[in-house]
Amino acid sequence: MISHILINNNGVLEPADQAKIPAMDHGFLYGDSVYETLRTYDGMPFLLDLHMTRLERSLGRLSLTLPGERKDLEKEIDRTLSGYTEVIKGEWETQPDLALRIVVTRGVGPIGLDMSLCPETRFMIYASPIPNFPDDLYTHGIACVISSVTRNHPNALDPGIKSGNFLNNILAFRDAKDAGAKEAFLKGADGFIAEGTTSNVFMVENGGLLTPKAYGILDGITRRTLIEEAHRAGIDCQETDITEERLRSADEIFISSSIREVVPVTTLDGKTIGDGTAGPVASRMLKLYRERVQAEL
Amino acid sequence: MISHILINNNGVLEPADQAKIPAMDHGFLYGDSVYETLRTYDGMPFLLDLHMTRLERSLGRLSLTLPGERKDLEKEIDRTLSGYTEVIKGEWETQPDLALRIVVTRGVGPIGLDMSLCPETRFMIYASPIPNFPDDLYTHGIACVISSVTRNHPNALDPGIKSGNFLNNILAFRDAKDAGAKEAFLKGADGFIAEGTTSNVFMVENGGLLTPKAYGILDGITRRTLIEEAHRAGIDCQETDITEERLRSADEIFISSSIREVVPVTTLDGKTIGDGTAGPVASRMLKLYRERVQAEL
């Protein structure tokens, strides 16, 4: 719900239903912005350093700069977290875990594509409560589809840049919605499975994990963490090209995201994957991920 | 200059430096919006019907709807034009010709890719004075480059949808800027010349015109008008695949856009095209276009 979202609007804490941005911001005119999504556990942002580093990488790719120093933005994140329950009067006794969307936008400038028209970037931090995902999500999983929409080509707009140009993902998600599913996988221009609209994808084959190579996708921080955890636990995990046919014949499929962690995919285009409930490898990866979360805190 | 722009902000006329949009508008979060750019001559919007029809086509492709009836939006355009000099106190004795940017945005909704999260679309009309382009622009032309950035693939995000996802164009324009040029041409994934960042491209070979086919590009209304005018004047004009090499060896090159009409390209990647000034065919097409403008008024 929008009324539960707090926005740090370039330094001003405001409820989301009151926050506004300039109509001449190129983030609105052109989707010319980058962002990161991360979450808190027990009030602490998880793997913030990795997200900040990736944000800086996205910024650099678009010749954008932080509006201040990295440590200034980190202070603003802290200020957003500590101000949350003061500004947002929810039904919580203690602060809920929050999803943070950190946006840096090109800023205000005349209409035109020249980046130098906008002298100052702006930041926004959206903080919203993590929904209470039902246990069912992790035991019964979700339905997914393979989208008819092709993932943006890296030489057109690299999916490795986490930007405010999201129509490619929105169009793919429409395919999921139309089929009553919860996520859509896009194939790259090379025909291989790339990623979900807001997730990375893993499949299980003969007890080992396969996930698409980090080219033409967003190299998710949860994805990277899961690969590390698999290696540490002695589970084989290959980053490789995955055809649609191979994915369809997987023993298990799951998606990873910072907010939802590890969610089994139990039907694909209406066909049951495995026995239609969370498989042993997906469940183990979720457990390993949550143990890592506890270890990091 | 921003202070010379009037915005009709979903029904409210405001100077652009005061106009704001909701921070939860998906046009900002995701670039989830479509737009049209057109201009007035003697106070009258030129080829408004064609632009409105194309706007409706873009909307349909993204499952967006107009916030009201088409005639309501047309009334708002009239209201923007008639209110312009009341709100914007410029140095003009009479109203200058205006560029109009008509935007329809997904509207306000919670964070998420599901289009149904946003119950109401919103519109904005940006009206800004057409710059006094120097005559030199039309006689000496501009420098262009061929960008290293590939045009979005039609199956990823069709360039035929005039959307608020403009980073592909912005990245290509960066190539132009870096080279001291004024426009960049993108090639499609098929390797053929597609279009400029905010223009269509024509070339002259043996006295005839060639322009890329209307696939994987925005089928410009000025482009379409020029093709009609060429046919009417007995100038051969083919819509065809154009290789980079063929473009480089053109006798003349020019770009078309609603705002700038017909502008000769007199250097490409630093190499002179023709004799480095406006060629006879480009000059003739500009004249034919301007005669068409007068005829339509």
Side-chain angles (χ1 to χ4, degrees):
Chain A
M1 284 198 298
I2 291 176
S3 60
H4 285 174
I5 302 178
L6 173 70
I7 296 180
N8 181 334
N9 191 358
N10 209 36
V12 180
L13 299 184
E14 301 176 300
D17 46 13
Q18 291 166 35
K20 295 196 178 275
I21 63 153
M24 297 305 295
D25 192 305
H26 285 211
F28 174 63
L29 288 170
Y30 304 121
D32 191 356
S33 62
V34 298
Y35 76 102
E36 279 292 317
T37 302
L38 67 157
R39 61 166 286 176
T40 66
Y41 290 95
D42 298 340
M44 300 280 289
F46 184 59
L47 301 179
L48 177 61
D49 262 8
L50 293 178
H51 284 281
M52 291 296 289
T53 298
R54 190 171 65 180
L55 181 68
E56 290 184 321
R57 197 171 67 212
S58 293
L59 288 163
R61 300 280 301 275
L62 297 181
S63 308
L64 281 160
T65 51
L66 281 179
E69 301 289 320
R70 174 165 164 164
K71 67 177 186 324
D72 300 329
L73 187 53
E74 288 169 351
K75 269 184 210 156
E76 292 291 338
I77 294 169
D78 284 346
R79 205 163 71 84
T80 308
L81 294 176
S82 60
Y84 184 81
T85 43
E86 286 167 40
V87 182
I88 305 295
K89 309 295 178 200
E91 62 275 23
W92 313 285
E93 292 186 13
T94 60
Q95 182 166 304
D97 279 330
L98 296 171
L100 296 175
R101 183 185 178 89
I102 302 164
V103 182
V104 176
T105 173
R106 184 75 63 184
V108 169
I111 290 170
L113 307 194
D114 184 345
M115 294 168 174
S116 71
L117 292 171
C118 303
E120 280 178 35
T121 58
R122 299 170 61 256
F123 75 89
M124 308 186 65
I125 304 165
Y126 294 66
S128 49
I130 304 272
N132 285 320
F133 297 119
D135 285 345
D136 186 67
L137 178 70
Y138 297 101
T139 55
H140 280 78
I142 58 172
C144 287
V145 299
I146 296 180
S147 176
S148 61
V149 175
T150 308
R151 192 73 180 106
N152 283 333
H153 190 278
N155 199 48
L157 179 60
D158 192 340
I161 304 169
K162 206 165 162 74
S163 83
N165 272 212
F166 229 62
L167 280 172
N168 181 234
N169 312 52
I170 287 171
L171 289 172
F173 190 81
R174 180 171 64 181
D175 286 342
K177 187 81 192 299
D178 288 348
K182 297 292 186 195
E183 177 61 297
F185 299 133
L186 296 95
K187 292 189 285 185
D190 56 10
F192 295 111
I193 297 292
E195 59 188 331
T197 64
T198 56
S199 65
N200 288 118
V201 54
F202 288 79
M203 62 171 278
V204 179
E205 191 180 80
N206 302 324
L209 285 170
L210 302 172
T211 192
K213 285 191 286 201
Y215 173 77
I217 66 168
L218 183 76
D219 183 7
I221 287 169
T222 306
R223 169 186 181 278
R224 182 59 47 202
T225 305
L226 289 172
I227 293 171
E228 283 174 21
E229 290 304 312
H231 289 158
R232 196 175 298 184
I235 301 169
D236 186 49
C237 182
Q238 304 290 332
E239 298 178 61
T240 188
D241 291 332
I242 298 177
T243 62
E244 184 175 335
E245 294 65 35
R246 194 172 191 182
L247 183 68
R248 290 191 192 282
S249 67
D251 299 324
E252 300 178 38
I253 302 173
F254 58 88
I255 59 171
S256 64
S257 91
S258 294
I259 306 297
R260 289 166 294 173
E261 306 173 324
V262 173
V263 175
V265 172
T266 46
T267 74
L268 183 62
D269 285 325
K271 186 177 161 289
T272 301
I273 301 295
D275 69 358
T277 64
V281 183
S283 301
R284 182 154 179 224
M285 291 313 302
L286 175 61
K287 183 163 176 286
L288 288 170
Y289 186 77
R290 288 182 169 168
E291 285 169 4
R292 170 71 171 269
V293 169
Q294 291 309 314
E296 295 275 346
L297 292 179
Chain B
M1 285 198 297
I2 292 175
S3 60
H4 285 176
I5 302 178
L6 173 69
I7 296 180
N8 182 333
N9 191 357
N10 209 36
V12 180
L13 298 185
E14 301 177 301
D17 47 13
Q18 292 166 35
K20 296 198 177 268
I21 61 154
M24 297 304 294
D25 191 306
H26 285 211
F28 174 64
L29 289 170
Y30 304 121
D32 191 356
S33 61
V34 297
Y35 76 103
E36 279 293 317
T37 302
L38 67 158
R39 61 165 287 176
T40 66
Y41 290 97
D42 298 338
M44 300 279 290
F46 185 59
L47 301 179
L48 177 61
D49 262 10
L50 294 178
H51 284 282
M52 290 297 290
T53 298
R54 190 171 65 182
L55 182 68
E56 291 184 321
R57 198 171 66 212
S58 292
L59 287 163
R61 299 282 299 277
L62 296 181
S63 309
L64 280 161
T65 52
L66 282 179
E69 302 290 320
R70 175 165 163 166
K71 66 176 187 320
D72 300 330
L73 187 53
E74 287 169 351
K75 269 185 212 158
E76 292 291 340
I77 294 169
D78 285 345
R79 204 163 72 85
T80 309
L81 293 175
S82 60
Y84 183 81
T85 44
E86 287 167 39
V87 182
I88 305 295
K89 309 296 178 198
E91 65 275 23
W92 313 285
E93 292 188 11
T94 58
Q95 181 166 305
D97 279 329
L98 297 172
L100 297 176
R101 183 186 177 88
I102 303 164
V103 183
V104 176
T105 174
R106 183 75 62 184
V108 169
I111 291 170
L113 307 194
D114 183 345
M115 294 168 174
S116 70
L117 292 171
C118 303
E120 280 179 34
T121 57
R122 298 172 61 257
F123 75 89
M124 308 187 64
I125 304 165
Y126 293 67
S128 49
I130 303 273
N132 284 320
F133 296 120
D135 286 345
D136 187 70
L137 178 70
Y138 297 100
T139 55
H140 281 78
I142 58 171
C144 289
V145 299
I146 296 179
S147 177
S148 61
V149 175
T150 308
R151 192 73 180 105
N152 283 333
H153 192 279
N155 199 48
L157 179 60
D158 192 341
I161 303 169
K162 208 166 162 72
S163 84
N165 271 212
F166 229 62
L167 280 172
N168 181 234
N169 312 51
I170 287 171
L171 289 170
F173 190 82
R174 180 170 65 180
D175 286 342
K177 186 82 191 300
D178 288 348
K182 297 292 186 194
E183 178 58 298
F185 299 133
L186 296 94
K187 292 189 286 185
D190 55 11
F192 295 111
I193 298 292
E195 59 186 334
T197 64
T198 56
S199 65
N200 288 118
V201 54
F202 288 80
M203 63 171 277
V204 179
E205 192 181 80
N206 302 324
L209 286 170
L210 302 172
T211 192
K213 286 191 285 199
Y215 173 76
I217 67 168
L218 183 75
D219 181 7
I221 287 168
T222 306
R223 170 186 180 278
R224 181 60 46 200
T225 304
L226 289 172
I227 293 171
E228 283 173 20
E229 290 305 313
H231 288 159
R232 198 175 295 185
I235 301 168
D236 186 50
C237 182
Q238 305 289 331
E239 298 177 60
T240 188
D241 291 332
I242 299 176
T243 62
E244 184 175 335
E245 294 65 35
R246 195 172 190 181
L247 184 68
R248 290 192 192 280
S249 68
D251 300 324
E252 301 178 36
I253 302 173
F254 59 88
I255 59 170
S256 64
S257 90
S258 294
I259 306 298
R260 290 167 294 172
E261 306 173 323
V262 174
V263 176
V265 172
T266 47
T267 75
L268 183 62
D269 284 326
K271 185 177 162 287
T272 301
I273 301 295
D275 69 357
T277 63
V281 182
S283 301
R284 183 157 179 220
M285 292 312 302
L286 176 60
K287 184 164 176 284
L288 288 171
Y289 186 77
R290 288 182 170 169
E291 286 169 3
R292 170 71 171 268
V293 169
Q294 291 308 314
E296 296 274 346
L297 292 178

